[in-house]
Coordinates of all heavy atoms in Angstrom, one line a residue:
A1341 N 87.7 -67.9 77.1 CA 87.7 -67.8 75.6 C 88.4 -68.9 74.9 O 88.0 -69.4 73.9 CB 88.3 -66.4 75.2
T1342 N 89.5 -69.4 75.5 CA 90.3 -70.5 74.9 C 89.5 -71.7 74.9 O 89.4 -72.5 73.9 CB 91.6 -70.7 75.7 OG1 92.4 -69.5 75.6 CG2 92.4 -71.9 75.1
S1343 N 88.8 -72.0 76.0 CA 88.0 -73.2 76.1 C 86.8 -73.1 75.2 O 86.3 -74.1 74.6 CB 87.5 -73.5 77.5 OG 86.6 -72.5 77.9
A1344 N 86.2 -71.9 75.0 CA 85.1 -71.7 74.1 C 85.5 -71.9 72.7 O 84.7 -72.5 71.9 CB 84.5 -70.3 74.3
A1345 N 86.7 -71.4 72.3 CA 87.1 -71.6 70.9 C 87.3 -73.1 70.6 O 87.0 -73.6 69.5 CB 88.4 -70.9 70.7
S1346 N 87.9 -73.8 71.6 CA 88.0 -75.3 71.4 C 86.7 -76.0 71.3 O 86.5 -76.9 70.4 CB 88.8 -75.8 72.6 OG 89.0 -77.2 72.5
L1347 N 85.7 -75.6 72.1 CA 84.4 -76.2 72.0 C 83.7 -75.9 70.6 O 83.1 -76.8 70.0 CB 83.5 -75.7 73.1 CG 82.1 -76.2 73.2 CD1 82.1 -77.7 73.2 CD2 81.3 -75.6 74.3
Q1348 N 83.9 -74.6 70.2 CA 83.3 -74.3 68.9 C 83.9 -75.1 67.8 O 83.2 -75.6 66.8 CB 83.5 -72.8 68.6 CG 82.8 -72.3 67.3 CD 81.3 -72.5 67.3 OE1 80.6 -71.9 68.1 NE2 80.8 -73.3 66.4
G1349 N 85.2 -75.3 67.9 CA 85.9 -76.1 66.9 C 85.4 -77.6 66.9 O 85.2 -78.2 65.8
S1350 N 85.3 -78.1 68.1 CA 84.8 -79.5 68.2 C 83.4 -79.6 67.7 O 83.0 -80.7 67.1 CB 84.9 -80.0 69.6 OG 84.0 -79.3 70.5
L1351 N 82.6 -78.6 67.9 CA 81.2 -78.6 67.4 C 81.2 -78.6 65.9 O 80.5 -79.4 65.3 CB 80.4 -77.4 67.9 CG 79.0 -77.1 67.3 CD1 78.1 -78.3 67.6 CD2 78.5 -75.8 67.8
T1352 N 82.0 -77.8 65.3 CA 82.1 -77.7 63.8 C 82.5 -79.1 63.3 O 82.0 -79.6 62.3 CB 83.0 -76.6 63.4 OG1 82.6 -75.4 63.9 CG2 83.2 -76.5 61.9
A1353 N 83.5 -79.7 63.9 CA 84.1 -81.0 63.5 C 83.0 -82.1 63.6 O 82.8 -82.9 62.7 CB 85.3 -81.3 64.3
R1354 N 82.3 -82.1 64.7 CA 81.3 -83.1 64.9 C 80.1 -82.9 63.9 O 79.6 -83.9 63.3 CB 80.7 -83.0 66.3 CG 79.9 -84.2 66.7 CD 78.4 -83.9 66.6 NE 78.0 -82.8 67.4 CZ 76.9 -82.1 67.3 NH1 76.0 -82.5 66.3 NH2 76.6 -81.1 68.1
E1355 N 79.7 -81.7 63.6 CA 78.6 -81.5 62.7 C 79.1 -81.9 61.3 O 78.3 -82.5 60.5 CB 78.2 -80.0 62.7 CG 77.4 -79.6 63.9 CD 77.1 -78.2 64.0 OE1 77.7 -77.4 63.3 OE2 76.1 -77.8 64.7
A1356 N 80.3 -81.6 60.9 CA 80.8 -82.0 59.6 C 80.9 -83.5 59.5 O 80.6 -84.1 58.5 CB 82.2 -81.4 59.4
A1357 N 81.3 -84.2 60.6 CA 81.4 -85.6 60.6 C 80.0 -86.3 60.5 O 79.8 -87.3 59.8 CB 82.1 -86.1 61.9
E1358 N 79.0 -85.7 61.1 CA 77.7 -86.2 61.0 C 77.1 -86.1 59.6 O 76.5 -87.0 59.1 CB 76.8 -85.5 62.0 CG 76.9 -85.9 63.5 CD 76.0 -85.2 64.4 OE1 75.2 -84.3 63.9 OE2 75.9 -85.6 65.6
R1359 N 77.4 -84.9 59.0 CA 76.9 -84.7 57.6 C 77.5 -85.7 56.7 O 76.9 -86.3 55.8 CB 77.2 -83.3 57.2 CG 76.3 -82.3 57.9 CD 76.3 -80.9 57.1 NE 77.7 -80.4 57.1 CZ 78.2 -79.6 58.1 NH1 77.5 -79.3 59.1 NH2 79.4 -79.1 58.0
Q1360 N 78.8 -85.9 56.8 CA 79.5 -86.9 55.9 C 79.0 -88.3 56.1 O 78.8 -89.0 55.2 CB 81.1 -86.8 56.2 CG 81.9 -87.7 55.4 CD 81.9 -87.4 53.9 OE1 81.3 -86.4 53.5 NE2 82.5 -88.2 53.1
A1361 N 78.8 -88.7 57.4 CA 78.3 -90.0 57.7 C 76.9 -90.2 57.1 O 76.5 -91.3 56.5 CB 78.3 -90.3 59.2
T1362 N 76.1 -89.2 57.2 CA 74.7 -89.2 56.6 C 74.8 -89.4 55.1 O 74.0 -90.2 54.5 CB 73.9 -87.9 56.9 OG1 73.8 -87.8 58.3 CG2 72.6 -87.9 56.3
K1363 N 75.7 -88.7 54.4 CA 75.8 -88.9 53.0 C 76.3 -90.3 52.6 O 75.8 -90.9 51.6 CB 76.8 -87.8 52.4 CG 76.3 -86.4 52.5 CD 77.0 -85.4 51.7 CE 78.5 -85.4 51.9 NZ 79.2 -84.3 51.1
L1364 N 77.2 -90.8 53.4 CA 77.8 -92.1 53.0 C 76.8 -93.2 53.4 O 76.8 -94.3 52.7 CB 79.1 -92.3 53.8 CG 80.2 -91.4 53.2 CD1 81.5 -91.6 54.0 CD2 80.5 -91.7 51.8
R1365 N 75.9 -93.0 54.3 CA 74.8 -94.0 54.6 C 73.9 -94.1 53.3 O 73.5 -95.1 52.9 CB 74.0 -93.6 55.8 CG 74.7 -93.9 57.1 CD 73.9 -93.6 58.3 NE 74.7 -93.6 59.5 CZ 75.0 -92.4 60.1 NH1 74.6 -91.3 59.7 NH2 75.8 -92.4 61.2
A1366 N 73.6 -92.9 52.8 CA 72.8 -92.9 51.6 C 73.5 -93.6 50.4 O 72.8 -94.3 49.7 CB 72.4 -91.4 51.2
R1367 N 74.7 -93.3 50.3 CA 75.5 -93.9 49.2 C 75.5 -95.5 49.4 O 75.3 -96.2 48.4 CB 76.9 -93.4 49.2 CG 77.9 -94.0 48.2 CD 79.3 -93.6 48.4 NE 80.2 -94.4 47.6 CZ 81.5 -94.4 47.9 NH1 82.0 -93.7 48.9 NH2 82.3 -95.1 47.2
F1368 N 75.7 -95.9 50.6 CA 75.8 -97.4 50.8 C 74.4 -98.0 50.6 O 74.3 -99.1 50.0 CB 76.2 -97.7 52.3 CG 76.4 -99.1 52.5 CD1 77.1 -100.0 51.7 CD2 76.0 -99.7 53.7 CE1 77.3 -101.3 51.9 CE2 76.1 -101.0 54.0 CZ 76.8 -101.8 53.1
T1369 N 73.3 -97.3 50.9 CA 72.0 -97.8 50.6 C 71.8 -98.0 49.1 O 71.2 -99.0 48.6 CB 70.9 -96.8 51.2 OG1 71.1 -96.8 52.6 CG2 69.5 -97.3 50.8

């Protein structure tokens, strides 16, 4: 369960980072 919670947190962080990068690519364009 501890490892699963860590993985879920890393997944959430990675998805948030991807969304932010996508928005900033549009802004730079």
Side-chain angles (χ1 to χ4, degrees):
T1342 298
S1343 69
S1346 178
L1347 178 57
Q1348 183 62 61
S1350 70
L1351 170 63
T1352 300
R1354 191 263 299 164
E1355 290 177 337
E1358 284 184 351
R1359 290 195 298 272
Q1360 180 66 2
T1362 297
K1363 292 195 307 187
L1364 290 176
R1365 286 187 195 101
R1367 176 187 168 198
F1368 185 45
T1369 297

